Amino acid sequence: MASDDEQIYAWTTQHRLLLADVLASLAPGQWQAPTLCAGWTVHDLAGHLVQPVYVSFRRFFVVSLRYWGNTDATVAHFARELAQAEPAHLIELLRAHAADQVSPPRVGPMGPFADACIHLRDLARPLGLSADVPAEHWQTLLDYLVSDEVAPALVPPGRLEGVGLRATDADWSGGIGPAAEGTLEALALAATGRSVAADELTGPGADLLRHRLRR
């Protein structure tokens, strides 16, 4: 398992550096563009990206008490707080801490890895950017998303129940049930709650997944 974790850490480092490069390439106005994270601009999302390497678990826990333990509300709090920093500073932080090996409670190294994969496309898709992670990384993430070990914050219980996922751009499938078919990227984004990606899926399982995302 240790060697598997080291691979995940290495890939997460690559993704953070790629995210920093993408952010550095943006025009000032693009920092206020919307992302696939509801209510978040690119600037907000950039703030969130440095949270795992900038906010300790202790600090996160203390602030979560203000929100009655609501993880999503606490994450949004830190995204807004960290997004007060200038874009150049956020990029600098992301690069400086790219290799930090963060293993949050309950999710371990897969948490930051999933964040880096998903959030890259959260900001790149609306801006029409092609920046993406390798297919092998999406497959590794999807293996986790359809597993019993997946964190509820990524895939809530029941979302993928009775739905099979099948990639159209790689030899990958997972889950049990009528298939929802699409690219590796679209499957991962849909599994983690992005309705725009779910709309790209086809097959008998796609309608069920879309229905669950819109409830």
Side-chain angles (χ1 to χ4, degrees), residues 24 44 50 68 75 85 93 99 113 140 193 202 214:
D44 295 327
V50 302
W68 301 92
V75 167
L93 283 173
F113 172 72
T140 299
T202 60
R214 293 190 169 100

Side-chain angles (χ1 to χ4, degrees), residues 31 39-49 78-80 82-83 90:
W31 279 74
W40 283 11
T41 64
V42 170
H43 204 153
D44 295 327
L45 185 51
H48 172 67
L49 289 170
F78 281 113
R80 291 191 299 270
L82 295 168
L90 292 173

Side-chain angles (χ1 to χ4, degrees), residues 106-107 143-144 146-152:
R106 293 189 293 177
V107 293
D143 284 340
Y144 173 69
V146 299
S147 73
D148 293 335
E149 289 75 35
V150 65

Side-chain angles (χ1 to χ4, degrees), residues 1-11 101 109:
M1 185 63 181
S3 61
D4 290 343
D5 286 353
E6 289 303 317
Q7 181 65 81
I8 294 300
Y9 285 134
W11 286 350
Q101 296 187 353

Side-chain angles (χ1 to χ4, degrees), residues 36 154-156 159 187-198 209 213:
L36 297 188
L154 286 170
V155 181
R159 176 179 288 167
L187 291 173
L189 292 177
T192 52
R194 279 65 178 171
S195 295
V196 65
L209 180 54
L213 290 180

